[in-house]
Amino acid sequence: MKTISVRKNVLAENDLIATRLRERFSKNNIFVVNIISSPGSGKTTLLERTISSLNDELDIQIIVGDVQTENDADRLRKAGGKAVQIQTNGACHLDARMIQKILEGMKFDGPGLLIIENVGNLVCPASYDLGEDVKVVILSIPEGDEKPLKYPAVFHRAGLMIIAKTDMLELSNFNPQAAYRNVAQINPSIKCIQLSAKTGEGMPSWFEWLKDNVAKKISS
Amino acid sequence: MKTISVRKNVLAENDLIATRLRERFSKNNIFVVNIISSPGSGKTTLLERTISSLNDELDIQIIVGDVQTENDADRLRKAGGKAVQIQTNGACHLDARMIQKILEGMKFDGPGLLIIENVGNLVCPASYDLGEDVKVVILSIPEGDEKPLKYPAVFHRAGLMIIAKTDMLELSNFNPQAAYRNVAQINPSIKCIQLSAKTGEGMPSWFEWLKDNVAKKISS
């Protein structure tokens, strides 16, 4: 019982900080995406391609969370992106306080796009509001089409599901229609995009989705 | 600070229960494997094949952990296995108390093999001793060869790393030698097996590893 009440306090404190972050992002016309997925679903490759395609059109800043290593932020900087790394040192998710702290050292006044690449984990990051406008969940083809049923919290809270690595579709028994049926049971209003960062298939839909949302944020 | 001390208490209590479980398993000559991986790395498919190949030689019982659904235990029972499901209802890992509780309803007196398929998550399950003889970490080809560096705790604590889905090697830029180098930095004594449950490549090494360990357990 003690553990549960401490956990509730932690989440309440997190939500308070997240609310303040959200107000700040809105004031500065920054559209914020919190990307959540399993390890190895291709988040960083997707972001490399996103940077090279949209860097001229949008002001993009990326915050990358990992348990250990700076590898991902390094990769994104090499791709031309503005990226900072949070190493959680064992923690299985980012929280709002980590975002608040790293923002202190960043110059990002908007308008633009802030992408937060969460720790690779389909469970824990779902509970932590980071002040984002929308959670994006990535489900990669090799993981299997039943995952929305097995990890419902993150699929329930996401506004967009990206089915990634469609180049691997032929080698797998992943059925996109089954994935859509499964996610609709959990979250009937979720939007879905299928793409492959490797072949480029479907990437324009993702770019349009980002650009539309940044434009809406600025005009709101 | 309060959260940290509560977490320490939770882990200390878990370890106490795990120690009792380990004594009981040893007394009954049951070799216990705790399998940890990302969602969708192919744990359940590997276990389906393991059951169909080893069910005549070994007494095998499987405990499957998932946040939601009974799908995996259903699949394993269809493959001819004795499988029970723990639904964690949101929790991101199995703990020793869950194992202790589900054992009360099971008749499994040994000698034999108990396989625990943990919740799909490379972070949190690493901290929870379930009374197992050995943790087995699965790294599937589509996830990428750098994962041991990014999720060091589980690779550090595992006795065996399975590189799975080798049938996908050609489509990916996964370099098995890089994966070995990376895991050796974290855990120089870890054993490694490469396999594909789909094509059967490498499966005999996994079967031999299991049979050898069960035999050692019985003779110890």
Side-chain angles (χ1 to χ4, degrees):
Chain A
M1 292 303 275
K2 203 177 161 195
T3 314
I4 291 168
S5 71
V6 170
R7 187 174 145 79
K8 272 191 185 157
N9 288 345
V10 168
L11 285 176
E13 195 202 326
N14 183 82
D15 287 353
L16 208 70
I17 301 172
T19 301
R20 271 186 255 129
L21 288 174
R22 186 171 286 109
E23 286 165 2
R24 175 174 160 189
F25 293 140
S26 276
K27 211 176 101 189
N28 292 343
N29 296 314
I30 298 173
F31 178 65
V32 185
V33 174
N34 176 4
I35 301 189
I36 301 175
S37 79
S38 301
S41 68
K43 289 185 290 300
T44 313
T45 305
L46 177 68
L47 295 184
E48 284 174 329
R49 304 289 184 278
T50 305
I51 290 164
S52 31
S53 296
L54 296 185
N55 232 359
D56 293 342
E57 294 176 68
L58 294 178
D59 192 9
I60 308 175
Q61 172 74 48
I62 300 176
I63 297 174
V64 189
D66 271 305
V67 176
Q68 288 291 347
T69 80
E70 283 263 343
N71 295 356
D72 286 356
D74 285 346
R75 279 176 61 187
L76 295 170
R77 284 189 287 258
K78 275 184 197 149
K82 290 186 288 186
V84 292
Q85 179 88 41
I86 298 175
Q87 290 193 44
T88 66
N89 293 317
C92 49
H93 59 270
L94 294 176
D95 63 37
R97 190 178 288 283
M98 296 177 194
I99 301 299
Q100 186 185 39
K101 196 172 164 208
I102 204 158
L103 282 171
E104 288 167 12
M106 280 164 56
K107 286 210 169 173
F108 190 59
D109 302 325
L113 170 64
L114 173 63
I115 300 180
I116 303 171
E117 181 188 333
N118 219 312
V119 175
N121 182 338
L122 268 188
V123 189
C124 316
S127 304
Y128 289 81
D129 184 358
L130 306 181
E132 71 273 355
D133 289 286
V134 61
K135 287 181 173 63
V136 173
V137 60
I138 302 184
L139 172 60
S140 68
I141 297 286
E143 293 172 51
D145 51 41
E146 86 291 10
K147 289 298 174 291
L149 302 178
K150 290 176 78 173
Y151 302 89
V154 62
F155 288 89
H156 176 68
R157 290 177 189 145
L160 174 69
M161 171 173 82
I162 292 179
I163 296 184
K165 303 194 187 182
T166 53
D167 52 289
M168 287 185 158
L169 198 49
E170 274 186 37
L171 261 188
S172 78
N173 52 11
F174 188 104
N175 177 347
Q177 295 313 317
Y180 293 138
R181 273 198 306 275
N182 291 336
V183 80
Q185 286 184 44
I186 307 296
N187 182 349
S189 64
I190 197 167
K191 286 182 193 301
C192 301
I193 295 174
Q194 283 189 49
L195 56 79
S196 162
K198 195 172 171 187
T199 66
E201 180 197 1
M203 292 293 280
S205 306
W206 162 239
F207 298 153
E208 286 311 309
W209 184 87
L210 287 172
K211 287 192 282 183
D212 284 355
N213 276 294
V214 173
K216 273 184 215 157
K217 190 82 188 186
I218 294 174
S219 68
S220 69
Chain B
M1 292 300 278
K2 201 176 160 197
T3 314
I4 291 168
S5 71
V6 170
R7 187 174 145 78
K8 272 190 186 158
N9 289 344
V10 169
L11 285 176
E13 194 202 325
N14 184 81
D15 287 354
L16 209 71
I17 301 172
T19 301
R20 270 186 256 131
L21 288 174
R22 186 170 286 109
E23 287 165 1
R24 174 174 161 189
F25 293 139
S26 276
K27 213 176 100 190
N28 292 344
N29 297 315
I30 299 173
F31 178 65
V32 184
V33 174
N34 176 3
I35 301 188
I36 301 174
S37 79
S38 301
S41 68
K43 289 186 291 298
T44 312
T45 306
L46 177 68
L47 294 184
E48 284 174 329
R49 303 290 183 278
T50 305
I51 289 164
S52 31
S53 296
L54 296 185
N55 232 358
D56 292 342
E57 293 177 67
L58 294 179
D59 193 8
I60 308 174
Q61 172 73 49
I62 299 176
I63 297 173
V64 188
D66 272 303
V67 176
Q68 288 291 348
T69 80
E70 282 263 344
N71 295 357
D72 286 357
D74 285 346
R75 280 175 61 185
L76 295 170
R77 284 189 287 258
K78 274 182 199 151
K82 290 186 287 188
V84 292
Q85 180 88 41
I86 298 174
Q87 289 192 45
T88 66
N89 293 319
C92 50
H93 58 270
L94 294 176
D95 63 36
R97 190 177 289 283
M98 296 177 195
I99 302 298
Q100 186 186 40
K101 196 172 162 210
I102 204 158
L103 282 170
E104 288 168 13
M106 280 163 56
K107 285 210 168 171
F108 190 59
D109 303 325
L113 171 63
L114 172 63
I115 300 179
I116 303 171
E117 181 188 334
N118 219 311
V119 175
N121 181 338
L122 269 188
V123 190
C124 316
S127 304
Y128 289 81
D129 184 358
L130 306 181
E132 71 272 356
D133 289 286
V134 62
K135 287 181 173 64
V136 173
V137 61
I138 302 183
L139 172 59
S140 69
I141 297 286
E143 294 171 52
D145 51 41
E146 86 290 10
K147 290 299 172 291
L149 303 178
K150 290 176 78 174
Y151 302 88
V154 63
F155 288 90
H156 176 69
R157 290 178 188 144
L160 174 68
M161 172 174 80
I162 292 179
I163 295 183
K165 303 195 187 182
T166 54
D167 51 289
M168 289 187 156
L169 198 49
E170 273 186 38
L171 261 190
S172 78
N173 51 11
F174 189 104
N175 177 347
Q177 294 313 315
Y180 294 139
R181 273 198 308 274
N182 290 337
V183 80
Q185 285 185 45
I186 307 296
N187 181 350
S189 65
I190 197 168
K191 288 184 192 298
C192 300
I193 295 174
Q194 282 189 50
L195 57 79
S196 162
K198 195 173 171 186
T199 66
E201 181 197 1
M203 292 293 282
S205 306
W206 162 240
F207 298 153
E208 285 312 308
W209 184 87
L210 287 172
K211 286 193 282 183
D212 283 355
N213 277 295
V214 173
K216 272 185 216 157
K217 191 83 187 187
I218 293 174
S219 67
S220 69

